[in-house]
Amino acid sequence: MMKEYCLVLGANGGIGLEISKYLIDKGYNLILHYNRNSQHIDEIIKNREEDHIKVKFDITDSSSIKNTLKEIGAGKDIEISKCINCVGIHYRSFIPLMPDNKFRDVVETNLTGAFLIIKHISAGMIKNKRGTIVNISSVAGINGLIGQACYSSSKAGLDAITKIASKELAKYNIRVNSIAPGFIEAGIIENPTDNDLEYLEKIPMRRFGKAQEVAKLSYFLLEDQESSYITGQNIVIDGGLSINI
């Protein structure tokens, strides 16, 4: 019998790290992905290395993803029944000043990378006729935020892929959802700009969200016992921001 795992993309920092901590506390066996630095991953799995797998690959490289999954025995020795994609990069600029390469980099990582992960991970889920995929999106993809053309566009595309994948994979008992956080005290908002702080006035709850609040929602969506009839949804967690912008 294959050992069951949840793949966490972008596990070394920000929201991805908090989600990883929460899932470990819930007893999950994790495959923890990183691209450059694994320092924080090493800290949270210290003395528990036998329960978790650490992997490094470029999410925008299809061959890298495929080869890594093969190396860890996915589909042979282990089953990846759950996947949560927390990978995301960001660049702020007004459209007339946006460097072409920065726009492409953000879209390639946030959108193409998500597509490739779903493509490769869903193959094994289809074979096993079960699976859950959660994408971390953003309210920027719903509303489109000033100065965030590349990020907002990539997340809007991610929301579309989530819906399409949910339609294509539902008949195989695979659920696909996304979460759209607002301003969360992690990742790019760990050091908020003056512009970020101005958004506090537009948040009815008058505070930024906490990464653990996103982690709890992620767990809910990953768990079939909790959310077995939810698929194709983009669930907003933003303290009410999106109703004010």
Side-chain angles (χ1 to χ4, degrees):
M1 185 176 179
M2 291 189 290
K3 191 173 182 179
E4 189 177 347
Y5 282 84
C6 173
L7 172 61
V8 183
L9 286 306
N12 192 60
I15 292 174
L17 179 63
E18 195 63 41
I19 289 173
S20 299
K21 292 177 182 177
Y22 193 82
L23 295 180
I24 288 174
D25 288 344
K26 290 294 184 180
Y28 275 46
N29 299 312
L30 299 183
I31 301 170
L32 298 150
H33 159 264
Y34 69 100
N35 189 33
R36 295 177 184 171
N37 190 326
S38 65
Q39 176 185 349
H40 299 306
I41 291 175
D42 294 335
E43 291 172 358
I44 65 173
I45 65 173
K46 187 177 181 180
N47 301 323
R48 292 186 280 190
E49 289 87 353
E50 69 278 1
D51 297 323
H52 311 291
I53 301 171
K54 187 173 67 172
V55 294
K56 178 182 180 181
F57 59 79
D58 180 356
I59 195 173
T60 68
D61 186 334
S62 187
S63 296
S64 179
I65 298 170
K66 185 177 180 179
N67 292 337
T68 301
L69 293 177
K70 183 178 180 180
E71 287 171 7
I72 64 175
K76 183 179 180 181
D77 302 314
I78 66 172
E79 177 190 354
I80 301 176
S81 61
K82 304 179 192 299
C83 175
I84 180 157
N85 177 22
C86 310
V87 172
I89 63 173
H90 191 273
Y91 187 81
R92 300 173 190 264
S93 176
F94 289 107
I95 290 174
L97 303 176
M98 177 77 69
D100 296 349
N101 66 312
K102 293 297 184 182
F103 187 91
R104 281 193 292 267
D105 288 347
V106 171
V107 172
E108 185 76 1
T109 299
N110 297 355
L111 182 55
T112 305
F115 162 76
L116 292 174
I117 285 296
I118 294 173
K119 174 183 177 180
H120 290 291
I121 291 299
S122 63
M125 292 179 173
I126 289 171
K127 184 178 179 180
N128 294 316
K129 291 185 170 52
R130 68 170 184 167
T132 307
I133 299 171
V134 176
N135 292 312
I136 300 298
S137 186
S138 171
V139 293
I142 299 171
N143 298 95
L145 301 182
I146 293 173
Q148 299 189 30
C150 54
Y151 186 73
S152 295
S153 298
S154 69
K155 293 301 185 177
L158 180 58
D159 295 342
I161 285 180
T162 296
K163 289 182 173 62
I164 295 164
S166 71
K167 293 177 182 178
E168 293 183 353
L169 300 176
K171 62 183 177 182
Y172 301 107
N173 193 34
I174 300 169
R175 298 185 299 106
V176 187
N177 293 289
S178 58
I179 295 172
F183 287 81
I184 305 297
E185 293 176 341
I188 62 174
I189 307 298
E190 284 180 328
N191 298 298
T193 65
D194 290 340
N195 185 61
D196 294 332
L197 294 173
E198 287 178 7
Y199 274 98
L200 275 174
E201 297 299 317
K202 299 178 181 179
I203 300 174
M205 294 185 72
R206 291 296 188 271
R207 68 172 176 88
F208 291 150
K210 301 183 184 304
Q212 191 177 58
E213 292 172 313
V214 181
K216 290 178 179 179
L217 178 55
S218 301
Y219 173 74
F220 170 77
L221 289 174
L222 287 169
E223 280 292 298
D224 286 327
Q225 291 184 341
E226 305 291 341
S227 57
S228 58
Y229 202 52
I230 301 176
T231 194
Q233 303 305 305
N234 184 27
I235 300 179
V236 176
I237 175 168
D238 68 352
L241 172 64
S242 56
I243 62 174
N244 272 358
I245 57 176

